[in-house]
Amino acid sequence: NKKILTPLYSIFVIVEIFLSHYVQIAPTEIANPAKFFAIALACAFCVLSIEKSKIYLFTQLALVATVAADYFLVYIPVRHQLYGMICFAVAQIFYFLRIYFEDTCQKRKKVNLILRIATLVIAPVCTFAFLGEKADAVAIVSVFYYLNICLNLVFASIQSNSNPFLIIGFICFIICDTFIGLANVGPYLQIPEGSFIHTIMKPGFDPSWAFYIPSQVLLAISVLPNRVKKQ
């Protein structure tokens, strides 16, 4: 009940704040397992809000897919970038399903569905248009993923029953992914040294994880208001 959930979630947030700081200062061989643990903890903690609802189901499945992505990209010694990006794309599809079934406006739901189908065409077209022969499966899946997370933010924001935890979580997620995208754009595009983008990529800490862990904490907590409301 609410009296139990509130202090438990408070402890959860405090632990995640500690982990967010720890991964910034720890050596890589220790930081990577800590990063994975922080994301897995958010997924596990969402179980505390378990209920028979599509909101909970799709959020939990999205968090599981995110943990799977970080297994391929962070936890194992040799990264499998394509598998990781596919898992991230699946996570955004689950968030889309949550937003879609949570929406009360049929016209907006129809537009949302059409745009999601359109991303299946837009993602490869845009990737080949900008990268040409350098386009590959990782780039295509990444563009598809990024388009869907941006759409998730838009539709989560314009709903009449918009959830602030969900919205801010998506914002942090997008900022994180923007930094990661810029850090991995090397094989496709060259960023000149001394440029503004090159400067903000080296702020003295890892900016992607500074936003990534908070994003997962907020997304895990986003199911709590619905659970509390029903009580």
Side-chain angles (χ1 to χ4, degrees), residues 9 12 16 35-50 56-68 70 95 212-213 215-221 223:
Y9 268 90
F12 163 61
E16 292 284 17
K35 290 174 180 178
F36 182 76
F37 176 73
I39 305 307
L41 179 62
C43 177
F45 232 83
C46 186
V47 178
L48 289 179
S49 297
I50 188 170
Y56 168 77
L57 174 63
F58 291 128
T59 303
Q60 188 68 73
L61 289 174
L63 290 168
V64 170
T66 303
V67 172
D70 283 315
Y95 283 124
Y212 184 40
I213 292 178
S215 75
Q216 299 311 301
V217 172
L218 290 164
L219 292 171
I221 293 176
V223 298

Side-chain angles (χ1 to χ4, degrees), residues 92-215:
Q92 293 311 312
I93 292 172
F94 282 130
Y95 283 124
F96 151 65
L97 291 172
R98 168 188 169 166
I99 293 166
Y100 179 84
F101 286 108
E102 195 175 10
D103 202 344
T104 56
C105 177
Q106 293 302 317
K107 184 180 293 186
R108 188 165 52 230
K109 289 174 71 172
K110 185 177 180 179
V111 173
N112 194 354
L113 181 59
I114 292 172
L115 288 174
R116 302 309 172 131
I117 296 172
T119 60
L120 294 170
V121 177
I122 294 172
V125 169
C126 288
T127 305
F128 280 103
F130 282 97
L131 300 181
E133 295 181 354
K134 293 183 179 180
D136 55 16
V138 172
I140 293 171
V141 175
S142 298
V143 172
F144 173 80
Y145 158 77
Y146 199 80
L147 288 173
N148 275 278
I149 192 173
C150 289
L151 287 172
N152 282 337
L153 173 60
V154 171
F155 282 95
S157 302
I158 63 178
Q159 285 186 2
S160 57
N161 56 341
S162 57
N163 185 313
F165 294 110
L166 190 66
I167 294 169
I168 301 172
F170 281 139
I171 292 172
C172 290
F173 213 156
I174 289 172
I175 295 173
C176 160
D177 288 328
T178 302
F179 276 109
I180 290 177
L182 292 173
N184 291 278
V185 78
Y188 309 105
L189 298 170
Q190 292 298 318
I191 300 177
E193 289 191 18
S195 65
F196 173 74
I197 294 177
H198 188 270
T199 302
I200 64 173
M201 288 299 299
K202 299 182 181 298
F205 61 93
D206 189 337
S208 58
W209 280 90
F211 287 97
Y212 184 40
I213 292 178
S215 75

